[in-house]
Amino acid sequence: MLDICDPEFVRAARYAAIQVRDKGDYERAERMLLNLGAAQEKVYGKEHVESLRIVFELAFVQCKRDRYEDAECLFCQLLSIRRRVLGPEHPHSVNTMVALTDVYRLQGRLVEAGTLMEEVFTLIRADTTTSKHRYCNILNNLALVYQEQGRLEKARNLFEQSLYDGEDELEPDDLDHLNVMDNLARIYDELGQNANAEDLYKRAFTLRVRAWGSEHPDTLESMIKFANFLEYQSRWNEASILHQKVLNAKEARLGSDQLETYFTRCRAARPLFRGKQFAEAAVLLEKVMSAKTLFFGDEDTSTQLTFLHAQYGLAVCYHGQQRYAEAAKHYALSLKGIEDRIGKDHYSLSSILYSFGRLHCDENRHVEAQKLFERCLKIIERNLISGEADDSRVGDRETSTMKDEIFNNLYPKCVEELADTFESLDQLERAEATLQDSLAFAQEHYGSSSPVPVSIAVHLAIFCGNHDRFQEEIDLMLPALEFRQSHYGQTHHSTIYPLRGLASANYILGRKEEAVPYYQQAISAMEKEWGAQDLGTKDFVKLYLNVLLSIGGVELVEKKGIVDEWAEKGVNFYLVRDEKEDEDDAHDGSGTDTPSERGCPPSSQDGKIGQRATDQTSGHASRSNHHSQFKL
């Protein structure tokens, strides 16, 4: 007969619950621990060593189920008893402090987590009996806190010390060892050391598969981390494959109609619609939205927000498929739902407002678009002033990535869209004022080392060039080009539009020789970014040849050897000597009608420079030499 008072039975029952927990069945593990704890407490009381161990394991299960307040309450009770009974330096007291630190960290209470973890580190360092395994584990936990606080260099040093010091004692598939790999990989990722990050993510994932199988919860979590990393690198297809594997595993283990499975579908849809596979993403998100009524009554705000963000994702998919009425409906519903739950000024609303505004632009509803873009800018600027953007490196990777996208990428895009909208409404003064005011704001709140004011300056330069203010265009483009070349390299894709604008503006002002090096640099950058066979690259080379023709005739072109150089790349240019044909070509812009036809990505922040630079330069180059012109 089983004896609940037998210590061997109690230990065996506790270990059985831990095994159930490690298999991912947290609900069953919780029931087992609650029953065992109630029996133990009844016989021995709350402060018996086995009763306290059961409380510790129960709190750990609550963490796994994201019930952080319940976990905190249990750990605080446990720490109070252990400090009083065993002393603050006892390993059991220290373990409880470490666990409580994790709970604080997971709730975003980073100051409390840092203070407590530094206290733990002081105790461990003073204890000469501490094993290397335990010491490395404490290093890892302290590094985690520094990481969440945005102190990345300090966190990296501790993670590296923890990983490499522990390799002698730990088995390759030790859970602590694998967690350090994941954490250090994330640090490398955030520091831009992508090759190191990818190597560690792969190693940790491969070791988990080997140790526990491909469907174990920790293996799936590792797969999600690696997939997220691939997303941050815009490797949509690779990320999508991994997310789909996670989805298949969770559907098989949990069923297709569980809340966690629906959340996994949201995650699997993300790289699909970001990679513009809108139809495939819509299928997943439509399944998610079909369950909205089942779970939306859940009092957990995060659950409601997950479904609302899925609705926003579905709107993006419909928008991408040109299903405008359906997209508008879901944009409006997701916007209203998120406003009701987190307020009308939260920075995350700006993405929906911007996308909704773009939809109205596509429908030529510029007045409605203007209102949405203006509100988007106000929200971002208000959050910048309040300091919300200052902690964009703090917190989980997904949140910090979203903040970076909004404050550093979306803001200049929205400035450009609002200015373009005013231009579409023939409100040129308001368009220029938007660019001027936003540039001044960005210079004040981002600083001279940020690319944000540079992007806005490029947009303002484009506006000046479009209205024949070419010297102003040059004055704005030159420092923008210098910034981008010094920060990103001479042939980085962000240099293309300033180079093309400077080439065009200088040529139009009659500074032909000054325009030449900008043409040359632009061609190098375009060839690197889009390739020699890209239509935009070839068309711009043709413009350059005609510029040279206008400067020094056929002799200069032959001296440069450009025609032969490009013939070796499979691109042939011909000299045409038909005056009428040349004049017609001068007036039709050499057949370049849209940015996409010239190889300019329509989504680029600086996209409009392409059309003006190409059309105007083509016209001026051909008009200056009616009897000869290069063509493809």
Side-chain angles (χ1 to χ4, degrees):
M1 183 175 178
L2 296 176
D3 184 2
I4 191 67
C5 300
D6 182 358
E8 291 299 322
F9 169 78
V10 174
R11 278 194 290 272
R14 180 163 54 84
Y15 287 137
I18 291 172
Q19 287 180 326
V20 171
R21 179 202 69 196
D22 288 346
K23 290 180 181 177
D25 193 347
Y26 303 129
E27 186 175 348
R28 184 181 168 208
E30 181 183 16
R31 289 198 305 269
M32 293 171 68
L33 289 167
L34 283 170
N35 292 334
L36 183 61
Q40 276 291 109
E41 187 176 319
K42 187 175 182 181
V43 176
Y44 295 110
K46 289 184 178 182
E47 297 186 5
H48 188 271
V49 61
E50 279 299 332
S51 297
L52 296 177
R53 283 172 176 162
I54 292 167
V55 172
F56 184 92
E57 298 300 342
L58 181 60
F60 191 76
V61 168
Q62 301 296 357
C63 277
K64 286 289 188 180
R65 302 189 72 184
D66 298 336
R67 297 175 174 176
Y68 301 125
E69 291 182 2
D70 293 340
E72 180 186 348
C73 182
L74 290 170
F75 280 134
C76 284
Q77 293 174 11
L78 186 59
L79 180 59
S80 176
I81 294 172
R82 283 181 165 172
R83 276 177 164 170
R84 175 168 48 81
V85 175
L86 303 174
E89 301 87 1
H90 193 278
H92 289 178
S93 299
V94 173
N95 285 345
T96 309
M97 293 169 71
V98 172
L100 183 56
T101 297
D102 276 341
V103 174
Y104 287 149
R105 182 178 58 80
L106 291 168
Q107 294 180 92
R109 294 158 62 182
L110 301 179
V111 174
E112 294 165 275
T115 301
L116 189 58
M117 200 64 232
E118 285 170 349
E119 182 183 347
V120 169
F121 189 59
T122 301
L123 291 171
I124 286 293
R125 198 162 45 180
D127 186 355
T128 57
T129 65
T130 301
S131 68
K132 184 178 282 189
H133 184 179
R134 181 170 173 76
Y135 182 74
C136 290
N137 192 29
I138 298 301
L139 277 178
N140 179 51
N141 280 275
L142 180 57
L144 268 176
V145 175
Y146 288 152
Q147 179 179 10
E148 299 296 345
Q149 291 176 335
R151 299 157 73 180
L152 300 183
E153 293 290 349
K154 200 164 186 177
R156 182 189 64 182
N157 294 337
L158 290 179
F159 278 135
E160 288 178 338
Q161 184 181 346
S162 175
L163 180 64
Y164 300 122
D165 285 357
E167 283 184 331
D168 295 337
E169 287 193 10
L170 304 180
E171 293 296 324
D173 59 353
D174 181 272
L175 181 59
D176 292 331
H177 192 63
L178 295 173
N179 285 338
V180 174
M181 282 187 185
D182 284 337
N183 295 329
L184 182 55
R186 177 186 159 187
I187 291 287
Y188 285 147
D189 175 18
E190 294 192 31
L191 291 172
Q193 300 174 24
N194 296 332
N196 290 341
E198 183 166 354
D199 177 63
L200 280 178
Y201 277 129
K202 283 182 177 177
R203 282 172 56 193
F205 169 61
T206 302
L207 289 169
R208 282 187 170 95
V209 172
R210 188 180 303 162
W212 304 316
S214 60
E215 295 187 2
H216 187 277
D218 281 335
T219 305
L220 295 178
E221 188 63 32
S222 182
M223 198 182 301
I224 290 169
K225 290 176 182 176
F226 186 29
N228 289 342
F229 166 77
L230 294 172
E231 280 191 69
Y232 303 143
Q233 310 305 312
S234 301
R235 293 159 65 178
W236 310 122
N237 290 337
E238 295 169 83
S240 179
I241 290 169
L242 289 178
H243 280 310
Q244 188 61 50
K245 287 181 179 179
V246 174
L247 177 59
N248 293 342
K250 290 199 173 183
E251 284 181 334
R253 183 167 64 87
L254 302 174
S256 60
D257 58 351
Q258 296 299 306
L259 183 60
E260 186 176 342
T261 308
Y262 285 112
F263 286 176
T264 306
R265 284 196 185 97
C266 294
R267 194 181 295 116
R270 192 173 57 202
L272 290 172
F273 74 71
R274 286 179 175 171
K276 303 196 183 302
Q277 299 181 52
F278 298 120
E280 295 87 343
V283 170
L284 290 172
L285 292 172
E286 284 168 349
K287 287 183 180 179
V288 173
M289 295 310 299
S290 70
K292 180 181 176 182
T293 54
L294 297 176
F295 296 103
F296 208 65
D298 194 316
E299 294 181 0
D300 182 12
T301 301
S302 66
T303 299
Q304 297 175 357
L305 289 174
T306 297
F307 279 98
L308 289 166
H309 282 294
Q311 189 163 33
Y312 166 53
L314 186 57
V316 172
C317 292
Y318 288 153
H319 188 174
Q321 295 174 292
Q322 298 184 346
R323 297 162 63 177
Y324 293 151
E326 294 165 281
K329 171 186 172 183
H330 288 289
Y331 278 138
L333 289 173
S334 61
L335 180 63
K336 179 67 166 59
I338 294 174
E339 284 177 341
D340 290 345
R341 283 155 184 82
I342 59 177
K344 294 186 176 183
D345 289 330
H346 195 270
Y347 64 86
S348 64
L349 290 170
S350 54
S351 297
I352 306 175
L353 291 165
Y354 175 80
S355 298
F356 205 177
R358 287 290 305 121
L359 175 69
H360 285 321
C361 285
D362 291 340
E363 296 179 305
N364 292 319
R365 298 170 60 186
H366 298 296
V367 174
E368 293 89 339
Q370 172 201 327
K371 295 175 182 176
L372 291 167
F373 290 140
E374 285 179 326
R375 186 181 166 199
C376 177
L377 286 183
K378 286 179 181 177
I379 288 176
I380 296 175
E381 290 175 351
R382 194 175 294 125
N383 278 275
L384 279 164
I385 292 170
S386 70
E388 182 64 44
D390 293 342
D391 61 349
S392 62
R393 300 299 301 267
V394 178
D396 65 273
R397 181 71 165 90
E398 190 168 336
T399 299
S400 62
T401 301
M402 179 173 67
K403 286 186 174 183
D404 179 69
E405 170 63 28
I406 289 171
F407 292 117
N408 295 323
N409 295 328
L410 186 64
Y411 181 70
K413 288 181 183 178
C414 193
V415 170
E416 180 189 16
E417 291 292 347
L418 180 57
D420 289 347
T421 300
F422 282 133
E423 282 201 80
S424 299
L425 295 169
D426 292 327
Q427 299 179 25
L428 299 184
E429 290 184 3
R430 294 187 69 181
E432 184 170 4
T434 295
L435 292 166
Q436 294 277 13
D437 293 346
S438 299
L439 178 58
F441 179 89
Q443 288 171 335
E444 177 182 355
H445 291 277
Y446 287 93
S448 59
S449 62
S450 169
V452 174
V454 174
S455 294
I456 298 173
V458 170
H459 302 327
L460 180 57
I462 293 168
F463 177 88
C464 292
N466 285 340
H467 296 88
D468 298 336
R469 291 154 54 184
F470 302 115
Q471 187 56 54
E472 293 176 71
E473 178 183 17
I474 291 172
D475 293 340
L476 287 163
M477 282 294 194
L478 273 174
L481 177 64
E482 291 172 3
F483 178 93
R484 290 180 172 180
Q485 287 185 331
S486 65
H487 282 72
Y488 311 127
Q490 296 292 311
T491 57
H492 189 266
H493 64 82
S494 67
T495 67
I496 292 173
Y497 298 107
L499 286 167
R500 291 175 63 149
L502 286 165
S504 172
N506 276 289
Y507 189 92
I508 292 169
L509 291 175
R511 304 167 186 168
K512 298 180 182 181
E513 287 77 8
E514 292 179 46
V516 168
Y518 295 121
Y519 278 105
Q520 293 170 334
Q521 293 177 63
I523 290 168
S524 296
M526 292 167 71
E527 186 178 1
K528 177 184 175 183
E529 179 68 17
W530 300 323
Q533 297 300 322
D534 177 80
L535 180 58
T537 304
K538 293 187 290 187
D539 197 50
F540 203 70
V541 174
K542 181 188 70 175
L543 299 180
Y544 176 45
L545 287 170
N546 288 322
V547 168
L548 293 177
L549 199 63
S550 71
I551 296 173
V554 176
E555 294 78 9
L556 179 59
V557 174
E558 291 177 346
K559 182 179 178 181
K560 295 280 188 181
I562 298 171
V563 174
D564 292 339
E565 176 190 340
W566 281 81
E568 293 177 0
K569 300 174 184 178
V571 182
N572 295 305
F573 296 97
Y574 303 94
L575 188 61
V576 177
R577 298 181 181 276
D578 185 332
E579 182 174 349
K580 183 178 187 303
E581 186 177 349
D582 291 342
E583 289 175 352
D584 291 342
D585 190 73
H587 293 290
D588 69 16
S590 293
T592 54
D593 298 320
T594 66
S596 59
E597 288 175 346
R598 288 183 299 283
C600 304
S603 61
S604 168
Q605 292 182 11
D606 306 333
K608 293 202 170 183
I609 193 70
Q611 183 168 356
R612 211 268 306 156
T614 301
D615 291 348
Q616 290 189 355
T617 307
S618 174
H620 281 261
S622 56
R623 277 194 289 272
S624 65
N625 197 319
H626 289 298
H627 294 286
S628 41
Q629 183 181 35
F630 278 96
K631 292 189 176 183
L632 276 166

